[in-house]
Amino acid sequence: MNLYLPIAELSVNLVVLFGMGAAVGFLSGLFGVGGGFLITPLLIFYNIPPAVAVATGANQVIASSFSGALAHYKRGTVDLKLGTVLLIGGTAGSAAGAVRVSRIQDDSAAGR
């Protein structure tokens, strides 16, 4: 069963994508990590363009991280002050990284 991805401009096997998501989700839950370090390379190896893989991986990480944070919040083990500081730093770093990649791509396209 194929699924057409309009942003990536290709068709992929839905079962393979589901399997990747399930495997990464399982490992993320098992080891307590977000999973972005796994899903992004897997998507790139599956011929998803790198920019699409990174953005899609970030989306998957948000879902699994939110789920984990909610479970820990219910247990009373989330430090909201620490989380807020990390969220601000992570947002600033992500924005700076995205701007830098955009500039690198613009320089590359201009032949600099």
Side-chain angles (χ1 to χ4, degrees):
M1 175 188 293
N2 284 340
L3 175 70
Y4 180 72
L5 304 174
I7 295 175
E9 297 178 346
L10 57 98
S11 290
V12 294
N13 187 313
L14 186 60
V15 175
V16 171
L17 285 183
F18 181 80
M20 274 190 228
V24 170
F26 175 77
L27 291 171
S28 297
L30 188 65
F31 295 111
V33 295
F37 72 98
L38 288 173
I39 197 67
T40 300
L42 287 174
L43 290 173
I44 291 171
F45 291 144
Y46 197 57
N47 292 324
I48 304 292
V52 175
V54 169
T56 303
N59 188 35
Q60 186 266 343
V61 168
I62 289 171
S64 63
S65 295
F66 179 76
S67 172
L70 186 59
H72 281 282
Y73 183 77
K74 288 179 180 178
R75 292 182 184 159
T77 57
V78 174
D79 186 330
L80 293 176
K81 287 181 184 178
L82 175 60
T84 301
V85 171
L86 292 173
L87 177 65
I88 293 168
T91 301
S94 295
V99 168
R100 181 66 183 135
V101 166
S102 177
R103 289 184 183 159
I104 289 170
Q105 288 174 338
D106 291 345
D107 290 348
S108 178
R112 295 182 216 165

